């Protein structure tokens, strides 16, 4: 029971940053990862499509006797989870609650910024959760649809990225936010550019890493932590090419992908 | 028989530039358009996935008693069509042959450049077809994966687009090409930036528009041109949100999308 794997899914590669954090703080846990690389990105798609794809992702993971699912995708967490969570008996954690709670905790001036995909920002879910926790907080948000392609095509540290980031972030900087939620798994890879524009005094929060900590708390509380304290294994499934996932995944995972990646046959 | 519609498909919106050209030069033709907006983009996906998705697109159009199919997508044309064309009885035209023939016709120094998605460039199909037509031609190519997101997010005329385009195009400019094939339907929307870097003396070719002219020649030759010379109707199908297609499609079509857009139920 306790040694069952944790399931993690994302629209693509970005959720591997969450896997990295799970492995760091819970090295004994087995992990099943599913990246829907054949249909990435989710962030620009319609609400209905995001819900449909997220349901497929969850149903895929459930074939593996999972003890907990983490939706390590800002878009799936904000747009789809509110509609799907109650339909399953397994606990499905999104990345929003962890980041929202942390933001409320660390902000000094009560002005919180949120950036994410168009889907995430349009959903308004971050503002909703933050204001449920603390109604006096003011939330300012902006969609940054160019950030994912910039990261995926090697432009993370380019002048072009700086110019585009300036467009996206200036309105939030002008609102004097002191805390900024990086609401998409790719954005931590642009941390240098983002912090260069926002300034050192603004705290940047990465929801994927925060969700891993919350997952540990949940497993501990429910007495579901693995009996092992080391040697957990990760297994990776994708819906597009195994080769490109293996080649690119290391950037997000922080170390080369060590085990075989499988092609998920689910959408054939 | 003659009045049956022409089928056009693309991974998303870009193929509407081909529809625009068909309507301009064959205003009597009915058109059925399918945009796979629920799975766009194709250009960065694996060969197997591109072939699978393209097959779905063709099978969808075949439900509508089509007299000719145009694959108005550089990636589907170069990666998938060579594997699928012979499996169908209806003629399926890609966008490569038209552009390749035109390039061979207009180049003066025999040095032709090709830009496109990663999938298109990796396939090497443009160089193959150009060299079949004229073995002494030299073909230089480069993938430009940032061009589609730049266009789709309103950055077509930005400094960021200029910087990124300079990265992608400088190697081709240094090879002294006098003709450049814009091998992805989105790229003509960056024509100003591209021509600013390449210089006025380089001829830019748009495969989608050239394919429309070749389609007319084919229909004429086969005696399949519509008996009407005006009043052709276009019907649009997409696999993601009807709203966003209707809102954005006009930019590519050159005029607002005038008829109802349908959600294709095929992938449900």
């Amino acid at each position: 029971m306790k040694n069952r794997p944790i399931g993690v899914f994302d629209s693509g590669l970005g959720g591997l940053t969450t896997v990295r954090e799970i492995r760091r703080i819970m090295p004994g846990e087995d992990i099943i990862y599913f990246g829907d690389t054949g249909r990435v990105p989710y962030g620009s798609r319609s609400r209905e499509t995001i819900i449909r794809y997220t349901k497929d992702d969850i149903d895929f993971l459930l074939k593996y006797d999972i003890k907990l699912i983490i939706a390590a995708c800002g878009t799936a967490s904000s747009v789809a989870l509110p509609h799907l969570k109650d339909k399953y008996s397994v606990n499905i954690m999104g990345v929003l609650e962890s980041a929202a709670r942390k933001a409320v905790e660390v902000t000094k001036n009560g002005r919180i910024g949120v950036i994410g995909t168009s889907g995430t920002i349009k959903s308004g879910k971050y503002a909703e959760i933050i204001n449920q926790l603390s109604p006096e907080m003011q939330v300012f948000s902006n969609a940054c649809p160019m950030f994912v392609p910039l990261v995926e095509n090697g432009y993370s540290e380019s002048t072009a990225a700086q110019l585009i980031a300036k467009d996206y972030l200036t309105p939030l900087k002008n609102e004097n936010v002191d805390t900024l939620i990086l609401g998409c798994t790719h954005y931590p890879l642009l941390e240098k550019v983002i912090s260069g524009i926002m300034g050192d005094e603004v705290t940047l929060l990465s929801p994927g890493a925060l969700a891993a900590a919350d997952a540990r708390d949940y497993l501990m509380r429910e007495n579901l932590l693995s009996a092992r304290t080391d040697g957990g294994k990760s297994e990776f499934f994708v819906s597009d090419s195994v080769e490109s996932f293996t080649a690119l995944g290391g950037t997000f995972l922080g170390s080369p992908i060590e085990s075989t990646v499988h092609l998920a046959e689910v959408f054939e």
Side-chain angles (χ1 to χ4, degrees), chain A:
Chain A
M1 186 71 179
K2 292 175 167 193
N3 288 346
R4 285 183 300 157
I6 299 171
V8 181
F9 73 88
D10 179 48
S11 56
L13 297 158
L16 291 173
T17 55
T18 304
V19 172
R20 173 189 197 162
E21 188 64 11
I22 295 173
R23 304 214 286 199
R24 197 180 67 79
I25 65 175
M26 296 180 274
E29 297 293 335
D30 286 343
I31 298 166
I32 304 275
Y33 182 86
F34 176 63
D36 193 7
T37 51
R39 303 191 296 191
V40 72
Y42 285 7
S44 52
R45 306 203 195 279
S46 70
R47 196 171 149 277
E48 292 68 32
T49 297
I50 295 166
I51 293 173
R52 182 155 56 88
Y53 288 0
T54 302
K55 190 176 173 305
D56 289 339
D57 301 339
I58 294 170
D59 291 341
F60 176 79
L61 285 175
L62 287 178
K63 294 194 283 184
Y64 293 88
D65 192 27
I66 294 291
K67 63 181 169 187
L68 166 69
I69 290 181
I70 303 176
C73 170
T75 306
S77 297
S78 52
V79 179
L81 274 204
H83 302 271
L84 295 173
K85 241 178 118 92
D86 297 341
K87 299 197 165 69
Y88 294 92
S89 58
V90 67
N91 187 13
I92 307 174
M93 295 180 61
V95 287
L96 274 72
E97 287 76 10
S98 315
R101 210 174 311 119
K102 191 73 173 179
V104 169
E105 194 184 310
V106 301
T107 181
K108 295 202 175 86
N109 68 3
R111 303 174 76 82
I112 298 169
V114 181
I115 54 175
T117 65
S118 307
T120 298
I121 299 308
K122 253 191 273 175
S123 79
K125 268 285 153 196
Y126 266 113
E128 190 184 314
I129 298 174
I130 289 169
N131 283 316
Q132 274 164 10
L133 294 168
S134 179
E136 69 274 18
M137 295 286 150
Q138 283 193 277
V139 181
F140 305 92
S141 63
N142 208 5
C144 306
M146 287 299 296
F147 278 3
V148 170
L150 284 166
V151 168
E152 295 203 334
N153 293 298
Y155 278 91
S156 297
E157 307 198 354
S158 65
T159 310
Q162 281 169 27
L163 290 170
I164 290 170
K166 206 158 190 178
D167 278 358
Y168 290 149
L169 299 174
T170 301
L172 300 176
K173 190 165 169 59
N174 289 344
E175 292 293 354
N176 195 29
V177 301
D178 72 348
T179 306
L180 180 64
I181 297 177
L182 310 182
C184 168
T185 47
H186 281 64
Y187 297 2
L189 283 86
L190 283 168
E191 196 166 339
K192 216 182 281 180
V193 168
I194 295 171
S195 135
I197 292 163
M198 297 305 291
D200 286 344
E201 64 285 6
V202 174
T203 309
L204 306 184
L205 299 179
S206 300
L210 295 166
D214 276 356
R216 184 183 49 186
D217 292 349
Y218 165 79
L219 293 174
M220 221 179 277
R221 214 165 48 233
E222 300 287 324
N223 200 22
L224 282 170
L225 269 183
S226 169
R228 295 184 305 261
T229 55
D230 210 342
K233 285 183 181 48
S234 307
E235 209 168 348
F236 303 97
F237 294 86
V238 290
S239 52
D240 193 3
S241 158
V242 160
E243 288 73 28
S244 73
F245 182 85
T246 308
L248 292 169
T251 317
F252 294 88
L253 195 58
S255 57
I257 298 215
E258 73 289 352
S259 62
T260 316
V261 177
H262 309 278
L263 183 67
E265 307 270 342
V266 65
F267 309 125
E268 300 292 315

